[in-house]
């Protein structure tokens, strides 16, 4: 990729998390996965992203735990470096340069890991036994096992396909951690277990067959008792090792499984799915967490959009859905079911697809178009208008217009006015008409406001291609092949026509802010034109092969993507581009959007000023979401990532401090006393049962119950200690009642102070202190309940 | 190739019976196999899996188990008897009542000194193997419930016995049970049903392996009597087990028709603690696999679907050789059809009866490949049921259709057939010469005046037939002193010669005029599978089990020039790669250079005038020849003209009116008559 000054094209947000196999940490609390140019560390219980390990400058191609230190992980990247991280704190420890020729003889653990990672880049399927005696690789129809001690490799080949139609191509492999057994997955869904592979001829394998199409991942559990496999069926299959007739299934995982990872203690499994999702599974029984990335299908039919309310990126997600993806938090917010029909997973079936979507300026309205074209039947079209519901915090269907046009809708936009009372939607279609839809507030038949057609327009029976409202909503430009017509939406009067033949208009865009007098268009004959609407003349035009033209809603900047993936950012009023970049990616840029920033950048360099207010995201041909980043921003991010993080995934709340420390204390006490008897859990105490099982209407007031509740938490001390500390407890109880009296007067600030004092590790002397803290907290709770 | 009017015969409802038991003798490389009708077959694995001997069955004799003791073959059946077979005369030698009810299994120790049988009444009986016979020695401790399977420990000191719900280990010396291994029943509905231990294997390291009706293959420690591993192989039954000689591999045959291989493999590369690991699954059967044998190089299996399958273990054999191909043996390697060439009649031999058919007629003419309209339909003239309990071992129809003979192991019967118009009368020839007690092969001379019957020690009895009486003429004896039975016999068209072939691969030619041995063809290592004497040149053409072809001049007493040329040049590799033997051979009287022969999948006309194919020529070239223009054909043609239009052939013969009779028995028809296999859930059903 070509560097341009200090602005770089990066994967940032919405990148693939299923690109490589995820890695579960030793205590299975953290989940590491390669995501774009960073390694993401998720909490496996809360699904939250704990850190981004940033530092690589290109795609991360592999993550691996350091076998000699389970708190560290290696990552390798296409930028040619291998980095060692402390992933619990997110600190970069070491950078190693990548070299391609690694000798195999010295076999220390670190070198070994290193070797693996180097080869991961070239060979997709490669694994070693846990003892490191041999390394197995599969490619095409060949399995190769290399023994380090003997320095000898064995190669086993399968026939391409036999009479029974088996396809024997290897797709994945896994080595048994204890026995010498290699499991391989094949294209026809078979799994083979290879044994005795240190013989040229006497090797043997057994075959397991459940999957009906290619096995995409196989994995042994760390103890080697089970074998996990997954494929397109989106079912995780667990085979008992040596008792392969017994198998367990975890079905309905949502999408095809691409990778399977197992935590080192075998407690958690993690599967990566083709819809950019990670699923954390507890011992093949239940799904405990789902981490959803940006769903990327085959193509995006809708434009990339930004929801004005949530500032989320909106695009096609699951079939028939729109997904709302927060780029700042790099997390999917929610899916909006547009089609509201069951999606049938069958190839060749034509189903409703969301093809167009538009938001109005304030994000109150969302318009969507879905269509279904079956062979030899007419096109089915639905225009749906969704109103934002403040209470449910989501969009609710307001109006469905079935068959709004006779033919495919080519363009659709809302009127941009911020202050006007009426909202207007214009849709243009291949049937030669454009329609204006308006919200009608009252009707004798329907309740509440609904949308109806207000105006149908046409121009010389030409097909309208693009439509665009000016920033103040006073003008509507619609292109009819070579002709741009400008209408007044207030009176539906054709104001003027502009044309610059030859070549049909491909994109149309009004300038913003100070440049709002300009209308820009691109033509099919590689021309970028700028008309001045005041004079109704062509201001300037330039020959340029523009594939995509869009304007930044927060500034007067416009971005034009050339068909060879070049980018020009310019102001319509200025002749010189602000920024230009050749070949930002391989292939064509299909979709792009300006996403507003949460906080403005203070960059003063001219070339990067256009990135101050908003960020430009674009989708490449291979469905990678990419953006631009300035040097300053990058430095800032790097600095923040090196900051030491105090605690892990769980957020520090007063409640956490109370319960968590309490539990920890219990644990320590148990350990110290080695007592066989178990403490009564707070859940099992009489008070809690009473609280939970009594019907609400017969319960006494909450403040009364609260003291009981807290006391139930306090009593859980082992009997031995109870005896020794009985006197103390007595005095505590007196204090407690005093505290209760004060409860309402205690402020929040005090509790916060108390938490900090409670945070350090516990000695006997501090136990008393801690108990005091609990009382404090109780008061805080009761004050909450009272209110 | 020549054009023929073809009678395509599909009314021979030959139905092979299910394979019941199997025993492999690795010293002689012979596989003994018993079928549900009580018939026994011996295959020579060293000689291209040729079916060397067939001992016909008997009503009421069901062989449940087979056992080789050195070269001797013993069987036991549910009729409660132990039988030893006389492999030279192809008949049971003696039977001995075991007095324990039905016998389920028979097993010899590795020293070959004792036989153990398992009986319905729960006793294991030990028999001592003597020179000529066997003698009851003693009973082991009697158990409750039947003994289904037995296995001796290689040392001979211990016997494992599979029973209902358990396996018992006996001390062969004291006769006391030392261990009782309880076998778990199946789950679900089969919980209430007793589990049957269908098969046990006792290995030299005191491991006992059992296969049972709950679908498990279990590995037990025979010293401590504890269960080591359970492999659940199938939902149905594991019916048979077989261990390789070096005890590194084990096979289990199931009701699903699969054979599962287990291998004794060390779990990690450099360590020596080995365990039994399930490895491969072979599915070559549609029905139960009842019998299994593990040879050094192959898995041999047979069962309800009547086919014998030899699946080579690819790591043990050279790749892409004759040996590495899968073989399915569906038909017997001898002819069950005899053809009355002059009368246009066919005689079909079943084990219980004979059927005589007259072929249909057609006067239509058509293009090659057309099917002609039938003027007269083929007609079943006679269905002749055999007398007595013994099954038919051979039969013959005279070329004129006037005589019919068949033999069982106890008697020979000869019938006179007379036709007047549409009526047919059959009369039994009452007085047969006393010497003719049983025959291994029967054959009429071409003028139907003589009947040749081969008996013990490869001798041939000649009987003269006439309207009034039949008279014993002479006995022809070979000079070699062989004791093996004759399995092929062929008389020449001119009545001068008679050739016989026996299991020792010897071919004797007798002069019928002088009534004495004319010559012995030099012995070739492979057994002849078909032979015939040329009607005009008096050359004897032989085809052997290894697919070699020889031509021997009876006049000059030497191989002919053509035969030498053929041997020198070598047969085409595709000819050698065929896996069924040539079972019938005949000549074309109109073209003396033509030899017609067939195996199961093709028939072939060898034109001795054309050049022999070399290794590079296209062997199956009939289609390409047809596409070539007329003048170019001769330059491309070679002497082997092969036709695969007709499949699963039992007989191809040329009638006197120059029409070809092709008797087909499609394997699909056989499969459709089999009982339904166990129901299996398949994907998407």
């Amino acid at each position: 990729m070509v560097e341009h000054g200090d602005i770089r094209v990066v994967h940032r947000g919405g990148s693939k998390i299923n690109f490589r196999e995820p890695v579960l940490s030793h205590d299975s609390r953290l989940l590491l996965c390669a995501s774009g140019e960073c390694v993401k560390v998720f909490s496996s219980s809360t699904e939250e992203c704990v850190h981004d390990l940033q530092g690589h400058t290109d795609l991360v191609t592999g993550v691996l735990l350091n076998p000699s230190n389970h708190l560290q992980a290696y990552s390798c990247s296409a930028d040619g470096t291998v980095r060692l991280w402390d992933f619990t704190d997110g600190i970069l420890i070491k950078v190693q340069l990548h070299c391609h020729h690694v000798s195999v003889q010295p076999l220390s653990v670190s070198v070994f890991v290193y070797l693996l990672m180097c080869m991961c880049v070239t060979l997709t399927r490669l694994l070693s036994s846990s003892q490191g005696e041999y390394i197995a690789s599969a490619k095409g129809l060949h399995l190769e096992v290399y023994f380090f001690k003997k320095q000898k490799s064995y190669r086993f080949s399968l026939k391409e396909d036999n009479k029974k139609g088996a396809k024997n191509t290897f797709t994945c492999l896994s080595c048994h951690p204890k026995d010498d057994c290699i499991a391989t997955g094949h294209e026809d869904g078979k799994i083979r277990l290879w044994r005795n592979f240190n013989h040229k001829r006497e090797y043997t394998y057994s075959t397991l067959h459940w999957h009906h199409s290619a096995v995409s991942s196989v994995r042994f559990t760390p103890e080697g008792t089970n074998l996990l496999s997954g494929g397109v069926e989106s079912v995780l299959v667990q085979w008992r090792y040596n008792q392969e007739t017994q198998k367990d299934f975890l079905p309905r995982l949502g999408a095809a499984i691409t990778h399977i990872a197992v935590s080192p203690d075998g407690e958690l499994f993690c599967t990566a799915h083709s819809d950019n999702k990670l699923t954390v599974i507890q011992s093949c029984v239940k799904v405990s967490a789902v981490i959803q990335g940006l769903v990327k299908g085959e193509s995006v039919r809708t434009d990339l959009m930004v929801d004005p309310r949530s500032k989320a990126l909106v695009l096609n997600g699951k079939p028939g859905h729109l997904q709302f993806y927060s780029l700042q938090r790099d997390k999917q917010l929610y899916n909006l079911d547009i089609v509201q029909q069951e999606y049938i997973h069958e190839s060749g079936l034509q189903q409703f697809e969301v093809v167009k979507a538009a938001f109005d300026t304030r994000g109150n309205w969302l318009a969507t178009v879905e269509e279904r074209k079956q062979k030899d039947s007419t096109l089915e079209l639905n225009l749906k208008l969704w109103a934002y519901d403040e209470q449910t915090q989501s969009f609710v269907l307001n109006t469905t217009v079935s068959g709004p046009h006779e033919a495919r809708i080519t363009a659709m936009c809302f009127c941009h006015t911020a202050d006007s009372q009426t909202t207007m939607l214009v849709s243009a279609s291949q049937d030669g008409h454009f329609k204006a839809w308006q919200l009608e507030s009252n009707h004798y038949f329907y309740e509440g406001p609904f949308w109806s057609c207000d105006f149908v327009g046409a121009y010389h029976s030409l097909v309208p291609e693009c439509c665009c409202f000016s920033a103040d909503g006073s003008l509507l430009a619609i292109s009819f092949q070579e002709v741009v017509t400008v209408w007044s939406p207030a009176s539906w009067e054709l104001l003027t026509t502009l044309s610059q033949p030859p070549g049909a208009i491909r994109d149309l865009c009004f300038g913003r802010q100070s440049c709002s007098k300009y209308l820009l268009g691109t033509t099919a004959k590689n021309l970028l034109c700028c008309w001045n609407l005041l004079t109704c003349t062509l201001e300037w035009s330039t020959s340029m092969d523009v594939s995509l033209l869009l304007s930044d809603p927060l500034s007067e900047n416009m971005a034009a993507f050339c068909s060879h993936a070049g980018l020009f950012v310019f102001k319509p009023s200025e002749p010189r581009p602000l920024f230009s970049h050749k070949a930002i990616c391989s292939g064509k840029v299909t979709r792009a959007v300006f996403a507003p920033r949460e906080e403005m950048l203070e960059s003063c360099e001219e070339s990067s000023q256009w990135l101050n207010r908003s960020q430009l995201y674009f989708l490449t041909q291979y469905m990678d979401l990419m953006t631009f980043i300035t040097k300053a921003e990058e430095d800032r991010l790097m600095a923040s990532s090196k900051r030491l993080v105090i605690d892990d995934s769980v957020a520090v709340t007063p409640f956490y401090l109370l319960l968590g420390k309490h539990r920890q204390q219990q644990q320590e006490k148990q350990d110290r006393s080695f007592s066989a008897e178990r403490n009564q859990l707070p859940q099992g105490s009489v008070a809690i049962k009473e609280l939970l099982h009594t019907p609400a209407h017969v319960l006494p007031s909450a403040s009364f119950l609260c003291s009981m509740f807290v006391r139930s938490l306090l009593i859980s001390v082992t009997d031995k200690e109870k005896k020794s500390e009985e006197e103390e407890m007595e005095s505590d109880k007196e204090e407690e009642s005093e505290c209760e009296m004060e409860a309402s007067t205690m402020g929040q600030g005090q509790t916060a102070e108390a938490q900090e004092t409670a945070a350090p590790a516990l000695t006997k002397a501090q136990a008393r202190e801690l108990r005091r803290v609990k009382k404090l907290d109780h008061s805080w709770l009761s004050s909450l309940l009272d209110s | 190739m020549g054009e023929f009017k073809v009678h395509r015969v599909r009314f021979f409802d030959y139905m092979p019976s299910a394979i019941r038991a199997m025993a492999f003798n690795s010293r002689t490389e012979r596989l003994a196999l018993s079928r549900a009708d009580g018939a026994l077959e011996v295959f020579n694995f060293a000689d291209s899996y040729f079916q060397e001997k067939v001992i016909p069955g008997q009503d009421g004799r069901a062989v449940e188990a087979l056992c080789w003791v050195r070269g001797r073959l013993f069987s036991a059946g549910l009729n409660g008897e132990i039988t030893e077979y006389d492999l030279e005369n192809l008949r049971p030698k003696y039977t001995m009542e075991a007095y324990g009810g039905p016998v389920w299994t028979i097993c010899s120790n590795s020293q070959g000194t004792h036989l153990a049988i398992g009986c319905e009444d729960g006793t294991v009986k030990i028999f001592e193997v003597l020179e000529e016979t066997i003698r009851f020695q003693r009973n082991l401790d009697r158990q409750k419930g039947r003994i289904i399977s037995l296995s001796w420990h290689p040392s001979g000191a211990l016997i494992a016995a599979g029973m209902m719900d358990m396996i018992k280990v006996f001390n062969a010396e004291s006769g006391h049970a030392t261990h009782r291994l309880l076998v778990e029943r199946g789950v679900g509905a089969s919980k209430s049903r007793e589990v049957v231990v269908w098969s046990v294997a006792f290995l030299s390291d005191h491991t006992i392996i059992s296969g049972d009706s709950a679908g498990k293959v279990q590995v037990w420690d025979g010293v401590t009597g504890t269960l080591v591993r359970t492999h659940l192989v199938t939902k149905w039954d594991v019916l048979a087990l077989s261990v390789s000689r070096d005890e590194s591999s084990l096979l289990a045959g199931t009701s699903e028709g699969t054979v599962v291989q287990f291998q004794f493999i060390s779990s990690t590369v450099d360590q020596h603690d080995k365990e039994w690991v399930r490895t491969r699954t072979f599915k070559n059967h549609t029905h139960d696999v009842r019998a299994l044998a593990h040879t050094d190089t192959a898995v041999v299996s047979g069962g309800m679907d009547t086919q014998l399958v030899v699946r080579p273990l690819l790591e043990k054999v050279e790749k892409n050789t004759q040996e590495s191909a899968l073989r399915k043996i569906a038909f017997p390697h001898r002819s069950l059809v005899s053809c009355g060439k002059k009368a246009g009649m066919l005689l079909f031999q079943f084990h219980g009866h004979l059927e005589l058919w007259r072929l249909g007629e057609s006067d239509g003419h058509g293009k090659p490949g057309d099917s002609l309209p039938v003027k007269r339909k083929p007609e079943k003239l006679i269905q002749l049921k055999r007398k007595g309990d013994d099954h038919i071992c051979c039969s013959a129809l005279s070329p004129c259709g006037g005589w019919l003979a068949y033999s069982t192991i106890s008697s020979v019967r000869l019938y006179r057939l007379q036709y007047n118009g549409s009526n047919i009368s059959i009369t039994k020839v009452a007085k047969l010469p006393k010497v003719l007690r049983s025959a291994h092969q029967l054959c009429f001379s071409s003028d139907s005046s003589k009947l040749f019957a081969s008996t013990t020690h490869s001798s041939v009895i000649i009987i003269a037939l006439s309207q009034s009486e039949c008279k014993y003429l002479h006995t022809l004896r070979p000079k070699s002193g062989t004791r093996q039975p004759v399995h092929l016999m062929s008389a020449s068209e001119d009545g001068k010669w008679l050739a016989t072939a026996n299991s020792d691969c010897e071919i004797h030619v007798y002069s019928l005029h002088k009534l004495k041995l004319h010559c012995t063809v030099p012995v070739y290592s492979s057994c002849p599978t078909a032979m015939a004497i040329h009607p005009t040149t008096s050359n004897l053409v032989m085809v052997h089990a290894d697919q070699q072809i020889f031509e021997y001049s009876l006049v000059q007493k030497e191989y002919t020039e053509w035969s030498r040329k053929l041997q020198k040049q070598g047969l085409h590799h595709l000819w050698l790669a065929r896996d069924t033997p040539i079972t019938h051979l005949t000549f074309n009287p109109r073209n003396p250079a033509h030899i017609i022969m067939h195996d199961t999948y093709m028939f072939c006309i060898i034109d001795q005038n054309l050049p022999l194919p070399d290794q590079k020529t296209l062997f199956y070239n009939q289609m390409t020849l047809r596409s070539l223009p007329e003048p170019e054909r001769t330059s491309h043609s070679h002497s082997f003209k092969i036709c695969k239009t007709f499949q699963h052939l039992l007989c191809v013969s040329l009638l006197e009116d120059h029409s070809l009779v092709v008797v087909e028995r499609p394997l699909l028809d056989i499969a459709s008559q089999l009982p339904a296999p166990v129901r299996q859930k398949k994907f998407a059903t």
Side-chain angles (χ1 to χ4, degrees), chain A residues 1-9 567-569 576-584 605-608 610-611 628-631 634:
Chain A
M1 256 160 244
V2 184
E3 295 284 321
H4 184 280
D6 51 7
I7 297 179
R8 222 160 56 80
V9 179
L567 169 69
F568 293 92
V569 180
R576 206 164 50 86
L578 296 171
F579 174 80
S580 69
H581 199 310
K582 272 185 227 158
I584 43 175
E605 273 186 72
E606 204 184 356
S607 64
S608 57
W610 62 280
L611 283 171
F628 293 89
I629 191 164
T630 61
K631 189 83 182 164
E634 204 166 5

Side-chain angles (χ1 to χ4, degrees), chain A residues 37 78 109 145 223 281 377 385 389 467 613 629 700-701 740:
Chain A
E37 293 175 5
V109 174
V145 184
E223 289 300 311
I281 296 158
S377 74
L385 285 134
D389 187 7
C467 61
R613 284 167 164 275
I629 191 164
S701 74
E740 244 176 305

Side-chain angles (χ1 to χ4, degrees), chain A residues 616-635:
Chain A
L616 178 61
Y617 283 89
F618 60 93
L619 266 181
T620 67
Q621 212 171 359
Y622 309 106
M623 302 297 294
D624 289 320
L625 187 69
M626 296 177 121
T627 186
F628 293 89
I629 191 164
T630 61
K631 189 83 182 164
E633 198 183 356
E634 204 166 5
D635 289 344

